[in-house]
Amino acid sequence: MKSTKILAITAIAMLAVFNACGDDKKAVSPVDDLSSSSEAVLPEDQLSSSSEDIAPVSSSSEEAKPASSSAEKPASSSSEKPVSSSSKEVKPASSSSVEVVAPAPAFKEDYRSECSIGEIPTNISNAKLPDPFKTLAGTRISSKAEWTCRREEIGAMYEKIMYGDKPRNPEKVEGKLAGSTFTVTVTDKGKSASFAVAINNAGTKDNPKPAMIGFGGGFMGNTCGSLGGALTGLDIAQIIFNPDNVAPESNRGSGKFYDIYGSNASAGTIMAWAWGVSRLIDALEKYPEAGIDVKHLGITGCSRWGKGSLAAGAFDSRIALVIPQESGSGGASLWRVGAQVNKQKGKQFVQGLNSAGSEGNWMKTTFKNYDGRENTLPFDQHMLVAMVAPRPLLIIDNAGQEWLGEVPSNYCGQASKEVYDALGVSENYTYSQEGGHAHCSLPNGQFDEVKDFINKFLVGKDGIKTGKIDYTKNTELIKWNKSDWIDWETPTLK
């Protein structure tokens, strides 16, 4: 009874933050669930005739509103239970001989200029998850070296279809430190713009510290992400990056990014934020007086900023550790599975593609045209997650948040691990899902996972074991059948 009251008080305390998060409209009990049965979600081509008769999401489905809006999706009036599994085992790293790859060894933003990108398909037919190992030329990669350019192909697909173009190699980037304020000035295409971040607990030029870059500021508070007490006691610097300083969500085409590249730039706010993080790293690299060890940088953010931190980590290989938290649709959550959940529920239970493609100006304006056509996408979000590989990645999810998509997020976590296994770096990947807490309020049960990843991959401590898929703390477990969604073999890349 006591613990129940504590959870209730915590949820009330977080309500103001939750209401501001337009992409996460529904606060639900951790036992609110996909359906009354314990069956796994199946691809469209495997549904029985009775399942296919379930009405799809109506085109008039309610769209999520930007953070500045007071509109809110009402909580479901029904009490429904998630898909469960009788098994509660933690899945360990599958490789018996794990090679931990040093974070960003070449220290380059990306390798796009070194790779030949073929014709990008914009319309395929595949109800299952696309093969991350199959190149645009139709061949499958067989070596770790080939992953470098396959990763760039995946990134090029996302830029063309979903996020818009990320400008690279600006003419000039400068940094200036005044107290704890670090100002980044970018000059490109004959125009300049500046934005500032806050740096706390930095080292010195001669003794720089590893750092976490946390999306923060505005409605989420002036904090380094939403990892809370998990950062306490860690000998790292904390950099607070407010994405609104680069590209506010409220007015597409406004902000420092668009001041340089024009209000009609194809990039949505998520890619603009990723660009801002890359330019921050450029400036830190050129300004060692800031006291930041640029070769040991992590990034984190929650909710819409979980989407942003994941994209930033995916599109910049200099980021040594990526920790997206409760990122939902458009982050580490599968479009195909979310669409099937909504189809089976007969309503928009998980934030759908049209809603996510319209909210916050996150994506290209044309991306929402894939709503109801998710099976025609040449990628799904397991491939965005895979772009981080082989660098360390800790995905933190919150079970019981139906709008976030606890099932499509869980399935994304399961499918993404295949790339880490193929590269022989299973220790570098953990997917953790735990319910029973407020949105963007990290529970104590996930503190150790955060500390372990930061201590191991940023601070450099030895003897720390990482690498698992763990959702054993959920009230109800989700059933994942790999063969339902994956029809390709995971290679062992040499």
Side-chain angles (χ1 to χ4, degrees), residues 5-291:
K5 291 179 180 178
I6 292 172
L7 283 173
I9 292 169
T10 302
I12 292 170
M14 287 296 294
L15 184 58
V17 171
F18 188 85
N19 284 346
C21 298
D23 52 322
D24 311 309
K25 299 294 181 185
K26 299 182 181 179
V28 299
S29 163
V31 297
D32 283 340
D33 158 54
L34 174 64
S35 67
S36 59
S37 71
S38 61
E39 293 302 313
V41 179
L42 298 175
E44 187 173 17
D45 61 357
Q46 292 187 39
L47 292 177
S48 66
S49 58
S50 58
S51 297
E52 291 172 343
D53 291 335
I54 296 177
V57 182
S58 168
S59 60
S60 62
S61 292
E62 212 176 329
E63 290 187 8
K65 306 294 181 185
S68 59
S69 171
S70 60
E72 182 180 9
K73 269 185 81 69
S76 170
S77 60
S78 61
S79 178
E80 300 158 300
K81 298 195 173 182
V83 178
S84 63
S85 166
S86 59
S87 171
K88 290 199 172 186
E89 66 175 348
V90 177
K91 297 184 181 180
S94 61
S95 173
S96 58
S97 178
V98 179
E99 174 192 356
V100 180
V101 175
F107 207 69
K108 298 177 61 172
E109 179 176 348
D110 60 41
Y111 297 83
R112 187 67 58 86
S113 64
E114 301 173 24
C115 300
S116 176
I117 307 299
E119 183 177 354
I120 296 173
T122 58
N123 187 356
I124 68 168
S125 179
N126 187 0
K128 293 182 183 288
L129 301 181
D131 184 353
F133 306 104
K134 187 176 182 180
T135 69
L136 292 176
T139 59
R140 301 192 85 226
I141 64 172
S142 59
S143 70
K144 294 177 183 178
E146 290 176 297
W147 174 248
T148 299
C149 284
R150 174 55 184 153
R151 174 184 172 276
E152 294 298 336
E153 287 186 341
I154 294 170
M157 286 194 287
Y158 273 102
E159 288 184 72
K160 179 174 181 176
I161 295 171
M162 182 171 166
Y163 291 123
D165 295 329
K166 180 186 181 185
R168 293 164 170 79
N169 305 313
E171 295 165 11
K172 184 169 65 172
V173 180
E174 298 175 297
K176 183 177 180 180
L177 185 66
S180 62
T181 300
F182 186 71
T183 301
V184 179
T185 301
V186 183
T187 301
D188 201 15
K189 300 186 180 301
K191 298 179 180 179
S192 294
S194 299
F195 63 91
V197 300
I199 302 179
N200 300 317
N201 196 39
T204 64
K205 178 179 179 180
D206 295 327
N207 189 23
K209 286 186 178 182
M212 284 297 297
I213 301 169
F215 279 55
F219 66 88
M220 290 294 283
N222 194 34
T223 60
C224 182
S226 300
L227 299 178
L231 297 181
T232 302
L234 297 175
D235 189 23
I236 60 171
Q238 297 184 24
I239 301 174
I240 302 172
F241 172 82
N242 186 339
D244 287 344
N245 291 339
V246 174
E249 298 170 279
S250 57
N251 184 18
R252 189 179 190 96
S254 65
K256 305 301 184 181
F257 173 86
Y258 299 100
D259 287 348
I260 295 177
Y261 298 106
S263 59
N264 292 324
S266 67
T269 53
I270 288 178
M271 188 58 85
W273 301 339
W275 171 89
V277 171
S278 291
R279 305 294 69 85
L280 168 61
I281 298 172
D282 290 344
L284 289 171
E285 186 179 7
K286 293 180 178 180
Y287 197 91
E289 291 81 4

